[in-house]
Amino acid sequence: MSDGLPLVSTVAELDALPLMSVIMAAKPARSVYQKWIDQQGGTPKWVRTSSDGRYTSEELAVGPFPLSAPQQHWFVLLYDPTVHGHPNGWEIPEPAAPAP
């Protein structure tokens, strides 16, 4: 299902990921989130791309109704800066010259 990409689903797994990590919901919406420090509270939050939504690890792991209808959500880990390095350090190959 994830072509070798790690899956995370628990609050502990989401909390353990470092800042700047990027995850994608495995089902149903395929929403993408990145972990940042919340400007208002100074705590880590998962920010949904193309949205203003900010979520704690618990909110992502159990869904919007944790008491009445808890669910287990799965996320594909797309980027982990401890594994993939910081983007500022990535070497981008030079584009190939066009064929004559």
Side-chain angles (χ1 to χ4, degrees):
M1 176 176 93
S2 66
D3 293 338
L5 294 172
L7 293 172
V8 295
S9 67
T10 66
V11 174
E13 290 170 331
L14 291 166
D15 279 345
L17 292 172
L19 293 176
M20 293 181 50
S21 294
V22 177
I23 58 174
M24 180 180 71
K27 287 184 181 181
R30 307 277 190 256
S31 298
V32 175
Y33 303 87
Q34 187 167 23
K35 193 173 190 179
W36 291 100
I37 291 290
D38 188 38
Q39 293 176 346
Q40 295 173 354
T43 58
K45 296 280 185 175
W46 289 97
V47 179
R48 184 175 175 183
T49 58
S50 302
S51 166
D52 290 334
R54 292 172 170 13
Y55 308 90
T56 64
S57 295
E58 183 176 11
E59 290 168 333
L60 286 182
V62 298
F65 308 106
L67 298 178
S68 61
Q71 300 174 356
Q72 182 174 19
H73 295 268
W74 289 91
F75 300 91
V76 178
L77 178 60
L78 301 177
Y79 169 69
D80 179 343
T82 61
V83 174
H84 304 107
H86 193 283
N88 289 346
W90 294 350
E91 292 188 28
I92 308 299
E94 294 294 323

